[in-house]
Amino acid sequence: MSALPATGREWHLVARPHGWPTPDDFALREVPVPEVGEGQILVRNLHFSVDPYMRGRMNDVKSYVPPFQLDQPMDGGAVGEVIASRAESVAVGDHVLHGLGWREYAVLDAGSAAKIDASLAPLTAYLGVLGMPGLTAYAGLLEVASFKEGDAVFVSGAAGAVGSEVGQIAKLKGASRVIGSAGSDEKVKLLVEEYGFDAAFNYKNGDVTKQLKAAARDGIDVYFDNVGGDHLEAAISAFNVHGRAAICGMISMYNATEPTPAPRNLALVIGKRLRLQGLLVADHRALQQQFVQEVSGWIRSGELKYGETKVAGIENGVEAFLGLLRGENTGKMIVSLAD
């Protein structure tokens, strides 16, 4: 058995960003690897996730998830290999999914990790299409937005990890039309040609409300919101009566330094009897087994496709996160520490 590591690198938040984060807000530090206590495991992280919600955790405000602490390691989804175990339920060599990302080595209670099977899907899939983003897409569309066969669906941020899965699930479940927005012509092409969207548009090419109206001539019934701002305003205009929105994220507003204006057409919510409902994936854990069973079947059959953008090396973790905020990813953004 090879010697266990004495130290490992981890990313710390060292200053709270004002507006857009900068590399100076973070520090990569080498720290001692903790002893493995009774019932604990030591994991060598192979991949960790960077996600839009992490930007909110950099602010010192009370929210649905605690803020990152200054001069402490950040955390988030990660998959890795167990290299030491003092827990009967987990063996050395097992692969696990856990919540202590942004670092090379993690010591945690075995009960806080979930064993994953690399033979069913690539390990990175458990951070994306079969992980938190995937369950977000599944629960948000089917439960929060009450999708039903024949609905016309609009997805913003549609080339990302969540949005691309929302659109494909809607098609597989019998949507009459699926429309997506994205931030480049290349992503628009991907949505239509690879992911099977009926229409897509580049929100940078013109007024979002006008582009959505042209793509959804018969209106929309469901809106899955990852962007907020002008996209939410456009969806409210395009909604048919009794439309439903799952409000998952508002990435267009995360780095704003001043309050952003609300949609100017909120009065339409009344006459159209719209339902706008916030979405937190933690409320939908009961769907986990059903979600994995159904989505993994679609992946194996080739009916559901997914993209990943991988950035190699822990030293590039912050740049991967900043790239995510700039929209440089297609599908799930992942930092890979090993091949």
Side-chain angles (χ1 to χ4, degrees):
M1 177 179 172
S2 59
L4 296 178
T7 63
R9 292 175 293 172
E10 58 189 28
W11 278 104
H12 290 200
L13 185 69
V14 296
R16 299 207 179 275
H18 180 69
W20 282 86
T22 72
D24 291 340
D25 297 323
F26 309 88
L28 183 61
R29 293 170 171 167
E30 186 152 348
V31 299
V33 175
E35 292 285 326
V36 182
E38 190 65 37
Q40 292 188 319
I41 55 175
L42 170 60
V43 180
R44 178 171 67 92
N45 282 338
L46 301 175
H47 312 277
F48 69 82
S49 175
V50 292
D51 301 282
Y53 81 88
M54 294 174 176
R55 175 60 186 88
R57 296 189 66 192
M58 294 172 187
N59 300 328
D60 190 15
V61 295
K62 187 175 181 180
S63 184
Y64 61 91
V65 61
F68 292 131
Q69 297 302 302
L70 294 180
D71 296 308
Q72 295 294 322
M74 296 188 293
D75 54 55
V79 292
E81 180 183 1
V82 177
I83 59 174
S85 175
R86 294 186 63 189
E88 292 184 5
S89 58
V90 182
V92 170
D94 283 348
H95 289 107
V96 293
L97 169 68
H98 63 90
L100 296 183
W102 290 92
R103 69 198 78 187
E104 290 180 305
Y105 299 99
V107 173
L108 63 150
D109 293 338
S112 300
K115 286 197 276 190
I116 54 178
D117 190 343
S119 68
L120 291 180
L123 291 177
T124 51
Y126 293 93
L127 294 175
V129 65
L130 286 177
M132 180 270 289
L135 182 58
T136 300
Y138 188 89
L141 178 69
L142 302 181
E143 207 159 75
V144 177
S146 306
F147 172 85
K148 61 183 184 297
E149 187 176 353
D151 280 343
V153 177
F154 171 46
V155 187
S156 60
V162 174
S164 59
E165 198 161 344
V166 171
Q168 291 182 85
I169 293 172
K171 290 293 291 183
L172 288 163
K173 293 283 189 179
S176 61
R177 188 166 176 80
V178 175
I179 301 151
S181 74
S184 73
D185 293 341
E186 292 78 15
K187 289 181 179 180
V188 166
K189 184 178 180 183
L190 180 77
L191 290 174
V192 175
E193 296 183 0
E194 180 75 10
Y195 295 145
F197 282 60
D198 296 292
F201 62 85
N202 181 347
Y203 66 83
K204 296 177 181 176
N205 285 350
D207 181 79
V208 175
T209 296
K210 290 179 180 176
Q211 292 197 79
L212 177 57
K213 186 176 181 180
R217 298 195 181 278
D218 295 323
I220 62 171
D221 305 295
V222 166
Y223 172 46
F224 196 104
D225 191 12
N226 292 305
V227 174
D230 56 355
H231 281 71
L232 179 55
E233 185 171 296
I236 289 171
S237 288
F239 264 130
N240 296 320
V241 172
H242 297 302
R244 292 92 62 204
I247 311 296
C248 177
M250 294 192 174
I251 197 169
S252 69
M253 302 158 63
Y254 289 168
N255 296 302
T257 56
E258 298 292 334
T260 53
R264 296 165 295 182
N265 56 352
L266 273 175
L268 292 176
V269 171
I270 303 167
K272 293 186 177 185
R273 282 86 87 200
L274 304 180
R275 173 157 58 85
L276 314 180
Q277 183 173 335
L279 161 62
L280 290 183
V281 69
D283 295 340
H284 302 277
R285 296 297 183 198
L287 286 175
Q288 177 73 26
Q289 188 173 354
Q290 174 187 321
F291 153 70
V292 171
Q293 184 175 7
E294 190 162 24
V295 173
S296 63
W298 287 330
I299 293 171
R300 287 193 297 274
S301 69
E303 292 175 280
L304 192 147
K305 301 175 174 63
Y306 65 97
E308 295 177 337
T309 301
K310 292 181 184 175
V311 174
I314 189 172
E315 65 276 7
N316 295 314
V318 164
E319 187 52 42
F321 174 69
L322 298 178
L324 172 79
L325 295 182
R326 293 190 294 260
E328 294 172 2
N329 60 303
T330 298
K332 184 75 193 77
M333 183 69 97
I334 291 169
V335 179
S336 292
L337 282 62
D339 294 327

